Amino acid sequence: MDNPRRAHIKPYLFAMELPYIEPHKIKMVETIHTSTLKERSRWITEAKYNLFKLTSRQVTVDLLTDSGTGAMSDRQWAELIQGDESYAGSASFEKLRETVRELLGYPFFIPTHQGRAAENVLFSALVKEGDVIPGNTHFDTTKGHIEFRKARAEDCTIDEAFNTTTDHPFKGNIDLNKLETVFKSVPREKIPFVLITVTCNSSGGQPVSMANIKAVSALAKQYGIRVLFDAARFAENAYFIKNREKDYENRTIREIVLEMFACGDGATMSAKKDGIANMGGFIALREEDVYQQACTFNIMFEGYLTYGGMSGRDMAALAQGLKEAVTYEYLHGRISQVRYLGNKLLEYGVPVQQPFGGHAIFVDALKFLPYVPRKEFPAQTLAVELYKESGVRGVEIGTLLADRDPVTRRNRYPKLELLRLAIPRRVYTDNHMNYTAAALANIYARRNFIQQGYRIVREAPIMRHFTIELESAEEKTVLC
Ligand code: F0G
């Protein structure tokens, strides 16, 4: 008979590594909507093949964005109740300002209603006609706010970012040679700042290494140019630094975050991402004179300085969300779920960007649908197919998003044509990921029969992808 005193040793012989678990359990659920292929085909036609025009009731799993779609924690809801709605001097404002100061280390703070509002306010103070703003691929609202002021966003991302299969741990990095070329060819007074987007959404939610942040900062200092961050997913970026960069393994997320921002002079933030808030944003700054200038624009565009477009309760919930976002447990659960979806898709042979990004999986539409011509928007075509197949809503990160060249008015064809599946924070289970992966696998099996995409019927002059109207290229061909 086994020695009972040694029984505890036995299981270890067969021990398997425990999988990650979500660091939360569910207190409240929300019903999602299922539909038939016939219904979805009608709805997407009525929506002019623009997934932004679908109503949420027409969507089963919504991976359109991770922005403002996260689930707040019980502690955030508790904070909501304590929100101070005073117009001036709100205690919730103070709570948020202190949290941001503690995390980012910048003394000056301005709340705004979301990220693009922070861009609008800060760029009103800093960006003039003819300016050039180099950085890693600028997000579309950021680029929009730069181009709206007749300035130019110069993409200096490393080339590895544009090959979806090249293995590189930090595909959000800035190429220092490209950056220095801009510094050398543009007069210093025409470069108000370098912008580092962490993580780099438009190149696939890819992180920027601490080494790169430091090198960019040193180079910019050499030329007397300030460094700003687009901080929407700063905590996810810090997680990747901890896991992938030598020397940071034993540092806490908070320590890494502080060190990242110490390399810069300020940040704009869409708090709808790593703030785990449904609405909110802010500007954080080191320089008082820039702060003073931005304050004037904030009062004009957003509201008084102690609320800036947010209600007191939202500021209180955001302060708590930011604290939760910089815990390793939260980030590990979050990013492991994104990886889970990526691995499932790889299992099915679906071409996805690797390594996986922090907030989303990006499907390489040029590889997935090689027969759809680029002028018929392959990534949008894939997004429509996925919706029809399953009710899963993703978003095109490709030619429609890239807009037309402001001078030539021609379509700008970005190096990558991607379907983004952005995963809301703490909302879906891994089974929703299984469902999404199976739907894409089905389309992949019949991919060679998909040869035609869409053409534009109506578009806005800037940021067109939100409101664009399309028609099937196929229908037109049949009619002709
Ligand atoms: N910067 C980045 C990197 C973003 O991803 C976004 C928004 C913004 C700025 C603008 O912030 O929406 O609060 O005004 N990205 C969303 C997305 C829309 O789906 O990726 P916002």
Side-chain angles (χ1 to χ4, degrees):
M1 212 177 116
D2 286 345
N3 180 349
R5 289 172 62 193
R6 303 199 58 179
H8 69 285
I9 293 171
K10 234 177 160 184
Y12 287 93
L13 298 174
F14 307 101
M16 60 174 151
E17 197 185 331
L18 296 178
Y20 82 93
I21 53 166
E22 294 80 357
H24 52 257
K25 54 185 179 174
I26 296 165
K27 207 190 272 285
M28 190 191 285
V29 296
E30 183 183 342
T31 304
I32 57 176
H33 306 277
T34 52
S35 51
T36 62
L37 171 65
K38 201 171 155 202
E39 284 170 328
R40 291 191 294 272
S41 299
R42 179 162 57 83
W43 292 334
I44 195 66
T45 310
E46 286 166 2
K48 312 269 193 246
Y49 305 102
N50 177 348
L51 291 105
F52 285 97
K53 289 185 192 273
L54 293 170
T55 69
S56 63
R57 296 184 65 83
Q58 296 169 337
V59 174
T60 304
V61 176
D62 204 349
L63 307 184
L64 182 77
T65 180
D66 63 323
S67 181
T69 52
M72 291 207 298
S73 67
D74 49 358
R75 289 180 185 205
Q76 284 181 283
W77 282 101
E79 284 293 332
L80 219 67
I81 304 286
Q82 296 175 49
D84 175 355
E85 304 303 338
S86 306
Y87 187 99
S90 155
S92 305
F93 164 78
E94 280 174 21
K95 198 180 261 184
L96 178 58
R97 182 183 58 189
E98 291 320 306
T99 305
V100 172
R101 275 184 182 161
E102 191 183 303
L103 290 178
L104 273 54
Y106 298 136
F108 300 104
F109 171 78
I110 301 174
T112 63
H113 81 272
Q114 63 182 94
R116 69 199 71 186
E119 291 163 357
N120 188 29
V121 169
L122 188 59
F123 296 2
S124 293
L126 293 179
V127 180
K128 310 270 173 309
E129 184 171 344
D131 282 355
V132 177
I133 290 105
N136 49 352
T137 317
H138 308 63
F139 184 66
D140 61 334
T141 59
T142 321
K143 192 147 88 180
H145 275 296
I146 291 170
E147 292 178 350
F148 180 71
R149 291 171 173 79
K150 298 194 163 48
R152 187 159 51 87
E154 192 70 49
D155 190 350
C156 299
T157 314
I158 56 168
D159 290 336
E160 287 89 334
F162 304 108
N163 183 336
T164 53
T165 51
T166 313
D167 196 23
H168 189 295
F170 292 101
K171 281 185 171 177
N173 279 359
I174 290 180
D175 183 322
L176 297 172
N177 290 327
K178 291 185 193 172
L179 184 64
E180 191 155 27
T181 306
V182 178
F183 286 170
K184 282 185 173 153
S185 58
V186 179
R188 198 186 75 92
E189 62 280 10
K190 292 242 164 262
I191 309 178
F193 54 89
V194 179
L195 189 67
I196 310 179
T197 302
V198 285
T199 58
C200 187
N201 185 4
S202 309
S203 73
Q206 296 292 323
V208 184
S209 72
M210 187 71 86
N212 190 251
I213 292 173
K214 287 187 172 168
V216 168
S217 169
L219 189 64
K221 199 165 273 169
Q222 208 179 304
Y223 283 82
I225 293 164
R226 66 168 78 74
V227 173
L228 298 182
F229 289 91
D230 176 341
R233 298 175 183 88
F234 73 97
E236 291 172 6
N237 199 83
Y239 174 88
F240 284 116
I241 288 177
K242 184 173 169 69
N243 280 351
R244 294 184 185 169
E245 200 164 351
K246 227 175 129 269
D247 302 336
Y248 289 92
E249 198 183 340
N250 297 319
R251 308 283 293 281
T252 65
I253 296 292
R254 276 176 179 256
E255 285 167 350
I256 296 172
V257 167
L258 260 182
E259 197 170 323
M260 279 163 55
F261 288 101
C263 299
D265 305 290
T268 56
M269 167 90 187
S270 167
K272 299 167 75 174
K273 283 83 168 173
D274 277 354
I276 329 180
N278 299 119
M279 190 51 74
F282 59 80
I283 300 166
L285 293 165
R286 198 185 290 294
E287 298 160 90
E288 189 168 3
D289 57 332
V290 180
Y291 164 73
Q292 295 295 358
Q293 288 173 57
C295 281
T296 309
F297 290 108
N298 206 58
I299 292 172
M300 272 167 65
F301 299 147
E302 291 293 289
Y304 184 61
L305 298 174
T306 60
Y307 72 87
M310 278 203 268
S311 51
R313 53 180 167 269
D314 282 346
M315 291 190 283
L318 170 55
Q320 175 61 26
L322 285 166
K323 287 181 193 150
E324 292 172 18
V326 292
T327 62
Y328 186 80
E329 296 67 30
Y330 155 75
L331 286 165
H332 185 59
R334 153 98 181 127
I335 290 174
S336 297
Q337 184 175 56
V338 175
R339 194 180 330 123
Y340 178 84
L341 174 61
N343 282 329
K344 267 266 157 271
L345 289 169
L346 280 184
E347 249 175 61
Y348 296 137
V350 173
V352 294
Q353 186 180 48
Q354 294 177 70
F356 308 133
H359 67 294
I361 293 299
F362 291 73
V363 183
D364 187 334
L366 293 179
K367 291 205 176 111
F368 196 117
L369 295 179
Y371 299 115
V372 176
R374 283 209 78 177
K375 65 176 174 36
E376 292 177 12
F377 314 113
Q380 182 69 11
T381 307
L382 184 55
V384 172
E385 283 301 314
L386 177 61
Y387 172 70
K388 285 204 284 196
E389 175 76 22
S390 60
V392 174
R393 172 160 70 170
V395 73
E396 188 250 26
I397 304 278
T399 309
L400 292 181
L401 178 81
D403 268 329
R404 290 178 189 274
D405 183 286
V407 180
T408 66
R409 301 307 299 157
R410 293 197 169 178
N411 274 325
R412 283 191 281 216
Y413 289 104
K415 295 196 178 101
L416 294 177
E417 193 74 37
L418 302 166
L419 165 65
R420 185 183 77 171
L421 305 168
I423 302 179
R425 293 164 181 79
R426 307 193 286 213
V427 169
Y428 290 114
T429 67
D430 287 355
N431 211 30
H432 293 110
M433 302 300 116
N434 291 336
Y435 177 83
T436 303
L440 268 167
N442 286 349
I443 303 167
Y444 195 59
R446 57 177 164 80
R447 64 190 179 282
N448 290 346
F449 297 100
I450 304 169
Q451 305 198 346
Q452 279 173 309
Y454 297 90
R455 62 168 68 91
I456 298 171
V457 177
R458 206 189 66 80
E459 67 184 298
I462 199 160
M463 293 189 221
R464 64 182 179 180
H465 74 296
F466 290 115
T467 54
I468 203 145
E469 293 181 3
L470 301 166
E471 67 181 4
S472 163
E474 204 167 356
E475 280 164 18
K476 198 75 170 212
T477 315
V478 173
L479 285 176
C480 289

